[in-house]
Amino acid sequence: MGNKIRNINLPAINMLLYSGLLVATPFIMLQNYLQGWVKSLSSFNVHFGQLQFPFVVLVAIAFAVIAAIMFREKITVKNLKWALFSFLWLAFGQWVSDFYINYSFYDLQNNWHYLAYFVFAFIVFRALGKRNWQPNKVNYAIYIIAAFVSLFDEIFQNMLSERIFDLSDVAKDLWGVSLGIVIINVFVFANESMGQKTGKGSKTSRHKSVWFISSFSFCFLFASSLLTDAGYADFVLFLTILLFIPVFFVLRYWKGKTKKWIKAILAILIAGQLSVFALFHGHNFILHNNFLTIYKGIPLVFFDVAVFPDHTFRYADKKTEFNKTDKETLLKYKPDILLIGAGKNMDGGNGFPFKDKSHFIYNQYTNSAVQVIILDSKSACRKYNELSKKGLKTLFVLHKDL
């Protein structure tokens, strides 16, 4: 053992340590200083008399106006259409993810993943420009490289203060790079690719690659945003693949007679769901067990659900503990009653003053008290039906145990 220790090259190790410190320092500064500054900038408002406007939005509008003036000759209906598409793509990704984060839609931190990797797609595309590859291979290469970079970024963050490995951040990065791939295919690959004209076969492969990448990114974003706890990481990957399998089947066999059969099956499923919704839309919760919930005739499988005071709903992050930010997000909907379905075994609903009895908490958004009721999930569904019949403004969060 002693001989092995003496044979170690100490100067080389010192050089590695100093190099690591040199590389890590900017990241530590980013975490401890720049991140807080960006958060403050996102919440800063500019006042004009009694009116106030978010500073970030004003800067974005200014950049848009300057860009429109500089590139006015390139403003076409097609370009405007795809600019709107890009905005809706990023907005949809933000809406799907992070229900409890309570960010504004213009928050720089929340949108940085999408914007940075949107640009990253073009950087990788330029790097691959001299390779005589088919467009579909370029698309997959961009996506795979982005995935490795994003994973490395998340792993490296574990060495920083107050940072954790978060698969949902990787999903956001891939959602942003997917948009970049879409735009590259619309404006670059539409007529030619890497200096070569694209034939009918390569065009079909290119379109399929874009659909595969975009669909997988959505499945990953959806699953990772609803299972953000680090303990769910393995299950997120499994669930992403499970969700993607039927999508892959449809995209893979979307041709000929199979295409007609797929259309017929989808039409039957949609017509059946619409019929069931028409029959039961006034009944609220019809069925609930630990896997399946039927709300207004709509089957809601596995995930937690938030039902808002206007009776609309969405899937929500599966959680048993509500922190301050989570509760602020819920109270922004200004309910009279906050109903929590704590799961079959009452594992959820933690973070409120009491779990065993009804109580009131203060809502800073209405300057009034909100009644909090925490029940097991099946009893909570029945309670919601009762409160709904009485016309009470209820926000219901339904948890399902794993």
Side-chain angles (χ1 to χ4, degrees):
M1 178 68 70
N3 292 333
K4 290 183 179 180
I5 292 176
R6 283 193 294 270
N7 290 332
I8 293 176
N9 191 333
L10 292 178
I13 291 178
N14 288 335
M15 180 63 70
L16 287 173
L17 291 174
Y18 290 137
S19 299
L21 181 60
L22 184 63
V23 171
T25 299
F27 286 95
I28 295 171
M29 292 178 64
L30 176 66
Q31 162 66 15
N32 293 332
Y33 300 101
L34 186 57
Q35 191 176 48
W37 179 79
V38 169
K39 184 175 182 180
S40 300
L41 184 64
S42 299
S43 60
F44 179 69
N45 294 318
V46 178
H47 296 267
F48 296 98
Q50 295 184 348
L51 300 176
Q52 62 178 17
F53 300 92
F55 175 74
V56 173
V57 175
L58 293 178
V59 172
I61 292 173
F63 271 110
V65 171
I66 293 172
I69 294 173
M70 293 178 62
F71 302 102
R72 57 186 177 275
E73 295 180 357
K74 296 185 180 295
I75 296 178
T76 63
V77 174
K78 178 183 177 181
N79 291 344
L80 290 175
K81 180 184 72 173
W82 283 102
L84 177 61
F85 173 84
S86 301
F87 175 80
L88 293 176
W89 180 287
L90 299 179
F92 182 73
Q94 186 177 10
W95 177 78
V96 169
S97 62
D98 295 337
F99 169 63
Y100 287 107
I101 294 298
N102 201 20
Y103 281 128
S104 301
F105 77 93
Y106 50 81
D107 187 277
L108 291 177
Q109 281 182 292
N110 193 37
N111 289 301
W112 184 251
H113 293 280
Y114 308 120
L115 299 176
Y117 276 79
F118 172 73
V119 175
F120 183 77
F122 289 88
I123 294 173
V124 177
F125 170 72
R126 295 284 294 179
L128 297 173
K130 295 182 180 180
R131 299 178 181 273
N132 195 24
W133 287 358
Q134 289 295 323
N136 61 318
K137 292 183 178 180
V138 175
N139 292 336
Y140 289 128
I142 293 172
Y143 194 75
I144 292 170
I145 292 171
F148 274 109
V149 171
S150 181
L151 282 170
F152 173 80
D153 176 45
E154 286 301 313
I155 293 171
F156 189 82
Q157 283 185 81
N158 286 314
M159 296 185 291
L160 305 182
S161 59
E162 300 179 3
R163 300 302 295 266
I164 60 173
F165 181 85
D166 190 351
L167 268 180
S168 66
D169 284 349
V170 177
K172 292 174 187 175
D173 295 338
L174 295 182
W175 187 246
V177 85
S178 298
L179 175 60
I181 291 171
V182 170
I183 299 301
I184 288 170
N185 279 261
V186 169
F187 288 96
V188 180
F189 288 156
N191 298 313
E192 59 181 338
S193 172
M194 303 302 190
Q196 290 188 343
K197 297 291 180 180
T198 59
K200 184 178 180 180
S202 63
K203 182 179 179 181
T204 301
S205 299
R206 173 168 62 86
H207 288 170
K208 280 190 175 181
S209 68
V210 173
W211 277 105
F212 283 136
I213 287 170
S214 301
S215 301
F216 183 84
S217 295
F218 175 75
C219 293
F220 188 25
L221 182 68
F222 180 79
S224 63
S225 298
L226 297 176
L227 299 169
T228 56
D229 190 284
Y232 294 142
D234 293 340
F235 189 71
V236 166
L237 296 177
F238 167 77
L239 187 60
T240 298
I241 295 172
L242 188 65
L243 292 171
F244 183 64
I245 287 174
V247 179
F248 175 85
F249 178 84
V250 171
L251 294 175
R252 176 67 178 81
Y253 297 101
W254 189 259
K255 56 185 176 181
K257 291 183 179 180
T258 308
K259 179 179 177 180
K260 294 180 181 178
W261 278 106
I262 293 173
K263 282 185 174 181
I265 293 171
L266 291 175
I268 292 171
L269 291 175
I270 293 172
Q273 178 59 81
L274 290 175
S275 299
V276 173
F277 176 73
L279 289 173
F280 295 102
H281 72 278
H283 290 70
N284 293 320
F285 287 93
I286 303 168
L287 171 71
H288 173 77
N289 58 47
N290 204 42
F291 179 76
L292 175 66
T293 301
I294 299 180
Y295 175 67
K296 294 184 179 294
I298 301 173
L300 304 172
V301 181
F302 178 70
F303 296 105
D304 289 9
V305 180
V307 182
F308 304 108
D310 61 359
H311 302 291
T312 59
F313 69 93
R314 63 160 288 167
Y315 284 122
D317 188 0
K318 189 176 288 292
K319 62 169 64 250
T320 57
E321 184 81 27
F322 293 85
N323 59 33
K324 181 181 178 181
T325 301
D326 300 334
K327 289 182 281 189
E328 287 179 353
T329 298
L330 297 175
L331 292 175
K332 274 191 172 182
Y333 290 93
K334 302 177 181 179
D336 296 326
I337 298 174
L338 177 56
L339 177 63
I340 305 293
K344 181 180 179 180
N345 302 314
M346 289 293 290
D347 294 327
N350 300 303
F352 292 94
F354 303 98
K355 280 183 65 173
D356 57 346
K357 58 184 177 181
S358 172
H359 60 279
F360 290 85
I361 60 174
Y362 174 71
N363 186 353
Q364 67 268 34
Y365 299 106
T366 60
N367 292 321
S368 61
V370 175
Q371 185 179 10
V372 179
I373 303 174
I374 302 177
L375 302 168
D376 68 88
S377 290
K378 197 162 190 174
S379 300
C381 288
R382 290 195 293 265
K383 188 66 175 179
Y384 178 85
N385 290 342
E386 295 175 11
L387 296 172
S388 183
K389 286 180 181 179
K390 295 178 181 179
L392 295 172
K393 192 177 179 182
T394 306
L395 174 59
F396 180 25
V397 179
L398 176 63
H399 174 66
K400 300 177 185 178
D401 300 319
L402 278 179

